[in-house]
Amino acid sequence: MSPLLDVRNLHVAIGDTCVCRDLSLTLEAGQRLAILGRNGAGKSTLLSVLAGLRPPLAGRIHLRGIALARQTPHELAKIRGWLGQQIGDPFASSVLETVLTGRHPHLGRWDWEGPEDLAIAHRALAAVGLSGFGSRHLSRLSGGERQRVAIATLLTQAPQLYLLDEPLAHLDLNHQIAVLELFSTKARTENIALALVLHDPALAARYCDQVLLLHGNGDSETGPAATMLDANRLSRLYGHPLTRIDADGRTVFIPA
Amino acid sequence: MPARRRALFALLCLVLLALASLGAALMAGSLALGPGEALSALLGHDDSLAGEVVRGLRLPRALAGFACGGLLALAGALMQVLLRNPLADPYILGISGGAGVGALLAMLLGASALLTSGTAFCGAFLAMMLVFGLARGAGSWTQPRLLLTGIIVAAGCGAAITLILALAPERQLPGMLFWLMGDLSQALPPAPDLIALVVVLAATLPFARELNLMAGGMETAQALGVAVGSLRLAIYFLASLATAVAVTCAGSIGFVGLLVPHLTRLALGNDQRLLLPAATLVGGSLLVCADTLARTVAAPQQLPVGVLTALLGVPLFLFLLHRRPA
């Protein structure tokens, strides 16, 4: 069986800035990939290329053995979900309405959301700790609550590959851990795969088994988390010396 | 989230409202008729003056008003989603400006009403293609760029209109001003407008759920399976076509296209599956009522209907804006 995500010789650029050249990686069901790099290194751009939202300069991306470019947006939406960075909503919609939009790929053209879709949406809200928020308006929520609404929408979409651009943005510590626990449990029990942009190498070490480092000049490194998350490599990545500390079986990296 | 049954019930009520507004338009006027008389005149049981007035004058005018109001409200709702901007209206991208330049040029040269409508449509079409071509440029088509291009083209058309008004002989000015304010007394037969209304509504309704997603953001919509690129092109052209047809028929009637989608949204929510048909019905009914007022309030003098919609619309809109939580 072909891997969930298969990337070969990918070349991505924004304007004159090269994000990656000759990037190859595979992601199997159940695997969790962390993408690390400095601001502006192109982490978000790479993720939206992997999601099929913008074309790469060169290279090929296969999703479950089929080229990304040969699948319609509708087919793609059943396989992969994408969490973007927050933008405002000019029209006030309720939390439940927003979360139900995740059911779109599963509904026929003339279908309306039924009781099953509602049940899925309520379960997703409960999973991010927003039970009872259904009728609240999005404009009345805090940034962190809105981020959790976006995550609940993604859960409602129920894809097999989750591409998360800064899923922890605006979240406080307890919710950061809760969200990462939620996704890593899903990876274990439901065999989904995960690629996420993170800012904290310690969280990558704790929750991911694969790591992709984007150096910002087109160079990239991929490998198992244990090899990639090394103090020297990360010091070079961020351009700032880091010290690795192991305590209570967890790893943290402290900037000098 | 309105369930399908609730949506159908709301639409049924609005259909009754539309029929009531059309009925009132058939009954009111210098020759006032009761409901029974109007109905028998409409059904052709009456060859007297009443029959002629109802079938020959009031019905075409009421239908033209309904179609124009519906087209403008629908175009406004579509533009608001397309530009993701609650202040967007059918005229924001310069279509009415283009039509105005076309119509006024024809009037300046002394053309007939039919020819004036033809040049108005051509002007609207040219403005639409100009904005589309410039906004697209070499590459991508972002919302701020489309909006700015449209506003600049509209401003250019506004200057051209002022120039024509300055150059025009005095006896032509009232006709030109009536056209610019919107006026149904010179409206052409309503068939093209009604057909356009049905076509645009039928073409957009199947994509209403996609439009819900687009209102939340282009990339999110694409990630959820919407073919954003082709859909927004189609919406741009359909909304522009609706605007062009309405403006060609009755001039640039103000505020229906901005106000009606907001009123409907406040009452029924922002689900496009309900909002699009509901705004169409409300817009049609509102314009029929405004036009009935316009020709009866100061009779025998007829007021331009655009003035009435604006006079009703401005305070109502300011009230809604003020009431709305930040």
Side-chain angles (χ1 to χ4, degrees):
Chain A
M1 180 150 167
S2 43
L4 197 45
L5 177 69
D6 188 13
V7 176
R8 290 278 157 256
N9 309 109
L10 193 70
H11 192 146
V12 175
I14 340 169
D16 297 334
T17 316
C18 181
V19 172
C20 63
R21 63 177 86 85
D22 265 338
L23 171 68
S24 297
L25 62 89
T26 57
L27 208 54
E28 307 277 356
Q31 283 191 323
R32 291 148 293 152
L33 169 79
I35 302 174
L36 303 179
R38 286 192 224 178
N39 290 156
K43 306 182 289 291
S44 302
T45 308
L46 175 64
L47 208 65
S48 62
V49 169
L50 295 182
L53 301 179
R54 61 164 84 200
L57 278 184
R60 58 183 191 80
I61 305 170
H62 281 218
L63 212 55
R64 285 202 311 196
I66 307 169
L68 202 64
R70 293 182 49 189
Q71 307 187 46
T72 64
H74 189 80
E75 289 167 342
L76 278 179
K78 290 186 184 171
I79 307 172
R80 66 93 185 88
W82 174 81
L83 179 77
Q85 293 181 26
Q86 275 186 23
I87 51 164
D89 186 347
F91 304 101
S93 20
S94 75
V95 168
L96 188 61
E97 279 174 334
T98 308
V99 173
L100 275 173
T101 58
R103 295 309 294 164
H104 177 76
H106 304 281
L107 296 174
R109 180 150 301 289
W110 297 104
D111 290 349
W112 287 55
E113 297 82 357
E116 261 176 52
D117 303 303
L118 270 176
I120 293 172
H122 281 299
R123 274 204 299 278
L125 279 174
V128 296
L130 288 176
S131 297
F133 276 63
S135 57
R136 295 269 288 271
H137 271 226
L138 227 48
S139 54
R140 297 289 179 88
L141 298 187
S142 74
E145 286 167 338
R146 257 182 261 175
Q147 178 75 359
R148 285 186 280 147
V149 169
I151 291 171
T153 310
L154 202 61
L155 296 176
T156 312
Q157 186 186 349
Q160 289 150 25
L161 170 66
Y162 285 77
L163 302 168
L164 311 174
D165 192 358
E166 304 204 11
L168 308 182
H170 307 286
L171 297 184
D172 40 25
L173 260 180
N174 52 330
H175 286 120
Q176 292 187 11
I177 299 298
V179 163
L180 290 174
E181 286 290 343
L182 174 74
F183 281 114
S184 57
T185 308
K186 273 181 100 70
R188 222 175 25 249
T189 58
E190 298 172 31
N191 247 347
I192 59 129
L194 207 58
L196 66 174
V197 172
L198 288 177
H199 286 296
D200 185 350
L203 291 176
R206 183 164 162 188
Y207 288 102
C208 296
D209 44 23
Q210 306 284 315
V211 170
L212 163 64
L213 305 179
L214 284 182
H215 286 281
N217 55 358
D219 294 341
S220 59
E221 298 172 86
T222 337
T227 7
M228 285 295 125
L229 296 173
D230 146 271
N232 284 331
R233 261 209 183 87
L234 291 173
S235 301
R236 246 185 304 126
L237 180 76
Y238 290 111
H240 192 95
L242 291 175
T243 318
R244 176 185 169 132
I245 295 181
D246 292 282
D248 299 338
R250 306 221 187 280
T251 308
V252 287
F253 295 88
I254 303 200
Chain B
M1 176 63 50
R4 197 199 303 241
R5 192 172 297 171
R6 205 200 120 209
L8 286 176
F9 178 72
L11 287 179
L12 185 70
C13 293
L14 291 175
V15 167
L16 293 178
L17 174 76
L19 289 175
S21 72
L22 288 171
L26 295 185
M27 294 183 324
S30 55
L31 178 71
L33 299 173
E37 291 169 298
L39 192 65
S40 73
L42 179 67
L43 296 177
H45 300 321
D46 194 340
D47 290 331
S48 67
L49 181 66
E52 256 172 57
V53 166
V54 167
R55 287 196 305 275
L57 295 174
R58 289 183 190 166
L59 183 65
R61 181 161 172 169
L63 287 179
F66 185 82
C68 285
L71 282 168
L72 289 174
L74 182 57
L78 291 173
M79 282 293 183
Q80 287 171 5
V81 172
L82 180 73
L83 296 167
R84 294 189 70 231
N85 191 327
L87 291 176
D89 78 347
Y91 304 151
I92 199 161
L93 297 184
I95 289 161
S96 66
V101 173
L104 264 56
L105 270 181
M107 288 181 187
L108 188 67
L109 300 173
S112 67
L114 190 66
L115 195 62
T116 303
S117 294
T119 52
F121 190 81
C122 290
F125 187 77
L126 282 179
M128 174 172 109
M129 296 313 287
L130 184 68
V131 170
F132 174 71
L134 289 177
R136 197 134 211 237
S140 67
W141 196 52
T142 61
Q143 281 146 338
R145 188 173 165 143
L146 178 65
L147 190 57
L148 271 177
T149 313
I151 286 175
I152 294 301
V153 169
C157 290
I161 286 171
T162 313
L163 182 68
I164 296 173
L165 287 176
L167 295 176
E170 214 167 292
R171 65 190 157 76
Q172 285 184 336
L173 283 180
M176 290 181 169
L177 289 177
F178 261 60
W179 195 96
L180 287 175
M181 287 182 287
D183 176 26
L184 280 163
S185 64
Q186 303 291 325
L188 299 174
D193 303 69
L194 288 170
I195 292 170
L197 184 64
V198 171
V199 167
V200 175
L201 198 58
T204 46
L205 269 188
F207 298 96
R209 211 174 60 230
E210 269 101 332
L211 292 176
N212 279 341
L213 301 186
M214 256 173 54
M218 295 294 169
E219 278 189 308
T220 320
Q222 198 182 345
L224 280 169
V226 180
V228 166
S230 45
L231 183 61
R232 66 179 181 176
L233 257 186
I235 294 300
Y236 174 76
F237 282 108
L238 284 170
S240 302
L241 177 76
T243 312
V245 171
V247 170
T248 302
C249 172
S252 36
I253 296 171
F255 276 90
V256 177
L258 176 65
L259 187 78
V260 171
H262 279 289
L263 275 177
T264 318
R265 193 174 286 124
L266 278 171
L268 298 172
N270 196 28
D271 189 332
Q272 309 295 323
R273 290 173 288 187
L274 175 56
L275 183 71
L276 295 181
T280 305
L281 288 167
V282 172
S285 312
L286 183 76
L287 194 57
V288 170
C289 291
D291 184 52
T292 308
L293 281 178
R295 64 186 170 79
T296 53
V297 142
Q301 173 90 30
Q302 297 213 357
L303 305 175
V305 66
V307 172
L308 272 182
T309 54
L311 280 180
L312 294 173
V314 171
L316 199 52
F317 192 74
L318 287 176
F319 171 70
L320 290 178
L321 213 56
H322 182 72
R323 213 191 63 147
R324 193 176 160 173

